[in-house]
Amino acid sequence: MACYFRRAIASQLSKILGPAEENFLPLILAIPVSKKHHSPDFRLSVSSLVENGWIQPDRSVQAQTELLAKQRVLQQVLKDGPYFGVKSQLFSLCKMKKVVVEFSSPNIAKKFHAGHLRSTIIGNFIANLKGALGHSVTRINYLGDWGLQFGLLGIGFQEFGSEEKLKSNPLQHLFDVYVQVNKTAEKDENIKKSAQEFFRRLETGDVQALSLWQHFRKISIEEYERIYKRLGIHFEEYSGESLYQKSSQTVLDQLEKQGLLKKTKEGVGVVDLSVARDMTSCATLVRSNGTSLYLTRDLAAAIDRMDRFNFDEMIYVTDKGQQNHFTQMFQILKAMGHTWAEHLYHVPFGIVQGMKTRKGDVVFLEDVLDEARSRMLQNMSISKTTKNLDDPEETAEDVGTSAIIIQDFKGPLLSDYKFEWDRILQSQGDTGVFLQYTHARLCSLQEMNNSSSECSFNPECLQDPAAIAILQHLLRYDEVLFQSSKNLQPRHLVNFLLMLCRLAAVAHKTLPVKNSPQELAQARLQLFKGTCTVLANGMRLLGIKPVIKM
C-alpha cells in the first residue's frame, strides 16, 4: 500500500517541479509509527531537492517550499477558471455516476408554501455540486398531485369556484376554495362523502373529474416555474404521485406474491419490518377500503426511475419529519430484492422558525422573495456605497435571495433555525449580502484597473501576510468541495467563502493596486482576480447568482 501513496506523492512533485516521477520515488520515505505522538506518514528531504537542482537554495528552504505551493494555487485558479477545484486529483478516483435528485415537491393547486423553500434550495445545491463534479444529474420535482384532498378541492370548486378568478390569480383562488370547503366539511358530513366520491371517480378515470384535475395540475406547474425562475432553478422532469396510481398496484401484487404483504384484523395491508417478524414494526401500504397510500406510490416511483434512468444513486431531499417514511421505504425495497436500494439516500433538514413578513406570518414562498427584494432595495437606497445600477430591483432580488440561501446553509441541515430579517440582510458579518458585496467590490477593482485575460505575474510580489493568507486559504478549496460531496452539507462551502471574503477585505485595504509599481500592481490584481473567480464559482454552486455591481 505504501508504494501506492509514494507514487501519488511523486506524481504531485513531478507536476509541480518538472522531473519524472521516478526521480522522486527513492526520496520519499515512510516514517515509523510513534506511540507517543502523531506524525506524518511519509517524509521528503527538501535538501535532496536542492542538491538535485529542482529548487533554489538562495533563501529559507521552508519559506521557499511554502511559497511554491501557494503561488502554484493562484496560477491554477487563473488557468482553470470555473473548473478550479472540481478538477482536483482528490476526485480522480471518484467514479462518474448517474444521479437522480428529487427535491422541492410542492402540492399542486396550492400556492408554493414557504415550507418548501429548504427542500428547493438544498436540492438545487446538491444537484449543482454533483453536476460540477462531472456526474450526470437528473433533477426531479415529485409533485403532491394525488390524494383525498383533490376530492375536497374538486367538490369545493364546483361549489365555490370561479373560472374568472382562476384565470386572474389561479393558485390563490384554489387556495381560497380549499380553505372554504374544508371549513364547510367540518360541519357537513355530506361534503366529506362527496369528496370521497369525487376522488373515487378520479381513481377510476372519470373523464370530467380527470379533466378538472389536469387543469389544476397544469396551471400549478406554470405558477411554480415562475417562482423557480426567480430562484434560478430548473428541473429535467415534473413527476408526481398521480403517475404511479396504477403501477402501485403492481408493487402490491409483487409484495403479496413474495409473502411480504400482510393483512391486519382491520383489513389494512402492511409489511412487517420488525426484526423478530412479530408485527411490532409495520409499514402501512393499503387502507382497509383498498386505496393505496403515499408510501406505496413512492415504492412504485423508485422502481420506475431505476428502470428508466438506471441510476447509480438517488437522493431525496425532504424535512426530517419524513425520516421514518424513507427508512421504511428503503427497507421494503431491499426486502423485495432490489439491491440498488443500498444507493438511495435521504437528506433531511430541520424547520425554519419565525419566518414573517411585515404583513405577518409567512405562508407563501413568493411573499418571502418579495419581502427580501423590498427590504434589500430599501437598504441599498440609503447606503452611501450603492452604485448606479441599470436594474436596482433585479440586483435587490439577487442579493436578497442570496441572503436567504446563506442564512439557511450556514449550519447543519438537520438543525432548526430562527429566521431574522435584520440579521440576514446585514452587509457585514456572515451573510449572503457580505458575499455579494465582496464579489461586486472585486469586480469593480478589476474594472477600474483594466484587468485583462493576461494571467502572467511575478509570484515574488505576493509575499505580504494578507496575500499569503488568501493563497493558503485557496489551497483548501478542493478539500472543501470534497467534504461537501461526501456528506452533502453546504455549510463547509459557505464557511470557506465567508472566510475568503474576510481575507479579501483585509487584502483590499492593505494591498493597493492603484499607484503601486507595475509589476506589484499586476501581481496583486491577479490575486484579486483569482479570489473573485473562486468566490463566484462557490456562490454558483450554492445556487447564488453573483452580482457585478451593488
Side-chain angles (χ1 to χ4, degrees), residues 4-246:
Y4 168 80
F5 290 106
R6 189 176 287 111
R7 171 70 68 174
I9 296 168
S11 174
Q12 291 299 308
L13 288 168
S14 177
K15 288 178 182 177
I16 294 172
L17 299 175
E21 294 176 11
E22 283 67 27
N23 292 294
F24 298 105
L25 289 173
L27 307 177
I28 302 167
L29 305 175
I31 298 175
V33 175
S34 169
K35 294 182 181 179
K36 293 183 180 180
H37 57 81
H38 294 290
S39 65
D41 296 307
F42 295 89
R43 68 184 176 196
L44 170 67
S45 170
V46 178
S47 60
S48 64
L49 302 181
V50 175
E51 290 169 6
N52 284 284
W54 295 328
I55 62 175
Q56 299 301 313
D58 58 353
R59 67 171 74 221
S60 161
V61 172
Q62 179 67 24
Q64 184 174 325
T65 52
E66 289 179 1
L67 186 64
L68 177 67
K70 292 164 192 168
Q71 301 313 323
R72 286 288 176 178
V73 74
L74 181 55
Q75 291 170 343
Q76 201 67 45
V77 171
L78 298 172
K79 177 186 175 184
D80 291 349
Y83 301 104
F84 174 71
V86 298
K87 294 174 68 175
S88 167
Q89 284 226 333
L90 281 175
F91 300 104
S92 62
L93 297 178
C94 297
K95 174 192 170 188
M96 290 299 100
K97 298 177 179 179
K98 287 182 279 187
V99 181
V100 173
V101 186
E102 180 198 294
F103 64 103
S104 192
S105 305
N107 298 311
I108 72 159
K110 294 182 181 179
K111 290 188 75 172
F112 203 132
H113 196 278
H116 290 281
L117 169 66
R118 296 205 77 185
S119 174
T120 303
I121 59 178
I122 293 166
N124 187 52
F125 160 72
I126 292 171
N128 287 346
L129 180 60
K130 292 286 186 179
L133 295 175
H135 303 291
S136 174
V137 179
T138 301
R139 302 160 183 250
I140 293 181
N141 196 337
Y142 187 64
L143 301 169
D145 64 353
W146 203 249
L148 189 56
Q149 70 268 29
F150 294 103
L152 268 174
L153 187 61
I155 291 298
F157 192 77
Q158 290 174 357
E159 290 285 327
F160 312 113
S162 162
E163 285 293 340
E164 187 177 334
K165 290 181 180 178
L166 191 65
K167 287 179 182 177
S168 62
N169 195 349
L171 294 191
Q172 182 62 55
H173 180 54
L174 291 178
F175 176 75
D176 293 340
V177 166
Y178 189 71
V179 170
Q180 195 170 358
V181 74
N182 262 296
K183 287 181 180 177
T184 307
E186 288 174 6
K187 303 172 185 177
D188 189 347
E189 193 67 28
N190 289 327
I191 291 290
K192 290 182 181 178
K193 290 179 180 177
S194 297
Q196 290 172 349
E197 172 59 21
F198 189 95
F199 184 57
R200 188 197 64 77
R201 287 166 54 201
L202 262 182
E203 287 196 307
T204 55
D206 178 82
V207 175
Q208 186 181 6
L210 274 175
S211 177
L212 188 61
W213 171 83
Q214 287 167 349
H215 185 42
F216 292 163
R217 191 180 194 276
K218 181 175 179 291
I219 60 177
S220 297
I221 292 175
E222 288 171 354
E223 285 293 295
Y224 297 152
E225 285 184 327
R226 187 171 56 81
I227 304 295
Y228 292 131
K229 187 176 181 181
R230 290 181 68 174
L231 291 167
I233 291 173
H234 72 278
F235 295 91
E236 275 72 43
E237 177 176 298
Y238 283 89
S239 181
E241 295 178 65
S242 61
L243 300 179
Y244 301 103
Q245 175 214 353
K246 292 180 180 177

Side-chain angles (χ1 to χ4, degrees), residues 45 127 168 215 317 337 347 384 398 433:
S45 170
S168 62
H215 185 42
V317 185
V347 177
K384 296 178 181 178
D398 293 337
V433 182

